[in-house]
Amino acid sequence: MNKRAALGFMVAAAATPALAQFGGRRRGDRPADKANGAEPRVDALEVTIEELREDLKLTAEQEPAWQSYVDKVRALAGDLARERGRRPAPGSVPQQIDHVVDAARNRLAALEDIAQAAKELYAKLTPGQQPAADPRLANLMAMPLGAGAQAQRRGS
């Protein structure tokens, strides 16, 4: 088994206790998958975070900047997941429109925070580490937004 596959299994195993508080099922898991022995799906964001961390070979000095960046990306992903799970805001059409605009404003603020953290992290990387971060830092911060678009296309 290669390192990346092993890392994917470790991330899935680490996520299991956290999933237990939500009933143990992740979106997309089906009872039929368990019955026919299919492997559980892993969180692509977490796998990508760990792959990048491994490839960057961060120093102790760089860890706080990395953690700040990752925490902000995870927070955005969590906010978007909660937003997708909510029903449309009750009220008049103008109130619903205001809700959509407020949500977009909140996403923009979160993205600006992530961008600042990414720039601070990138500045701390050595010239040898920077190629591993290009363009992955930017792609990683966009992953939660892409997951939301994919869920909407599937009709979730």
Side-chain angles (χ1 to χ4, degrees), residues 39-51:
E39 291 187 27
R41 296 178 184 165
V42 296
D43 184 340
L45 178 64
E46 290 302 320
V47 170
T48 304
I49 286 170
E50 290 306 316
E51 286 176 349

Side-chain angles (χ1 to χ4, degrees), residues 5 8 15-16 65 68 71-72 74 91 116 126 129 133 148:
T16 301
S68 174
D71 288 347
K72 287 173 175 51
R74 286 177 176 145
Q116 184 61 39
T126 66
Q129 291 171 310

Side-chain angles (χ1 to χ4, degrees), residues 1-152:
M1 180 181 306
N2 67 30
K3 283 183 180 179
R4 291 187 191 247
L7 182 62
F9 288 122
M10 288 189 307
V11 168
T16 301
L19 292 173
Q21 66 182 334
F22 299 109
R25 282 189 64 194
R26 287 173 288 168
R27 184 180 207 130
D29 282 353
R30 299 180 311 249
D33 289 342
K34 292 178 182 139
N36 68 17
E39 291 187 27
R41 296 178 184 165
V42 296
D43 184 340
L45 178 64
E46 290 302 320
V47 170
T48 304
I49 286 170
E50 290 306 316
E51 286 176 349
L52 180 55
R53 174 187 221 134
E54 181 181 308
D55 292 347
L56 288 175
K57 297 174 179 56
L58 298 167
T59 66
E61 280 181 359
Q62 296 166 331
E63 277 293 329
W66 167 260
Q67 199 56 56
S68 174
Y69 167 74
V70 169
D71 288 347
K72 287 173 175 51
V73 170
R74 286 177 176 145
L76 174 62
D79 289 347
L80 291 172
R82 279 187 298 281
E83 184 69 26
R84 281 191 300 273
R86 290 188 189 129
R87 294 187 177 178
S92 67
V93 171
Q95 289 171 327
Q96 291 176 14
I97 291 169
D98 288 343
H99 175 75
V100 170
V101 171
D102 288 341
R105 201 175 285 125
N106 291 341
R107 277 187 220 117
L108 175 59
L111 285 169
E112 289 172 336
D113 290 345
I114 294 169
Q116 184 61 39
K119 290 173 186 176
E120 290 169 8
L121 171 60
Y122 193 81
K124 291 182 184 281
L125 297 177
T126 66
Q129 291 171 310
Q130 288 176 349
D134 295 331
R136 293 162 72 188
L137 282 177
N139 290 343
L140 187 61
M141 70 184 273
M143 281 183 74
L145 299 170
Q150 290 169 357
Q152 286 176 344

